[in-house]
Amino acid sequence: MTITKDRPELAAFGSWVGDARRSAGLNRTQLAASAGGLHPTTVHYWERAAVEPGDDQLLALASALNVPVRQVASLLPRYSMVLAGSTAGATIRLVRWDAGLTRSEFAETLGVSEATLIGWEQGTDVPSVASLARINYRYSVEITEDPRDCHLAPVYVPGTKTRLARTILEFLPDGDCYVEP
């Protein structure tokens, strides 16, 4: 957690945390305990708009105050792209939030590492077709990737185990590509 001087872009979030905590009849220590055993100073820094919560802290805060995580995230500028669901990674994060799961819990349900999930959510890695199918099935959603984005994942020739490259220059004859399951 990086503590900075009061950050104006976090003012709405800080005010909301304080108001929501008081409305719930909680002091900072009680809210911190309800949000997964955080230190009360963390809640104080949030209310002062000095620091923003990490991803799992955001989930714990929403749960402790019994509000949707999307409501809390809407107060933080860094989540605007996520809330728009403009990428598969952003949509995966929204699915995880809606399920009320931390990154490690969600990754475990999918049989992937937490580092892999972070890569998907941040857009530095692309989930395999099989992983997308697992998410779609288990969480009753429809997440698809544009096949033209397949150049971001290892590409294999169908029917073989030959890896072509991390980046491909052209698509297979049918205009599609095969992504490792």
Side-chain angles (χ1 to χ4, degrees), residues 16 23 29 31 67 70 95 108 135 137 139 145 177-178:
W16 181 86
S23 292
T29 302
L31 177 57
V67 297
R70 290 177 190 230
V95 168
E108 187 177 326
I135 295 168
Y137 177 76
Y139 298 98
E145 277 291 313
C177 67
Y178 176 76

Side-chain angles (χ1 to χ4, degrees), residues 44-76:
H44 171 74
Y45 287 137
W46 290 344
E47 291 180 3
R48 283 204 45 224
V51 67
E52 60 188 295
D55 204 63
D56 287 345
Q57 289 177 330
L58 184 75
L59 185 64
L61 176 63
S63 177
L65 294 171
N66 200 27
V67 297
V69 72
R70 290 177 190 230
Q71 178 183 343
V72 183
S74 70
L75 300 166
L76 296 162

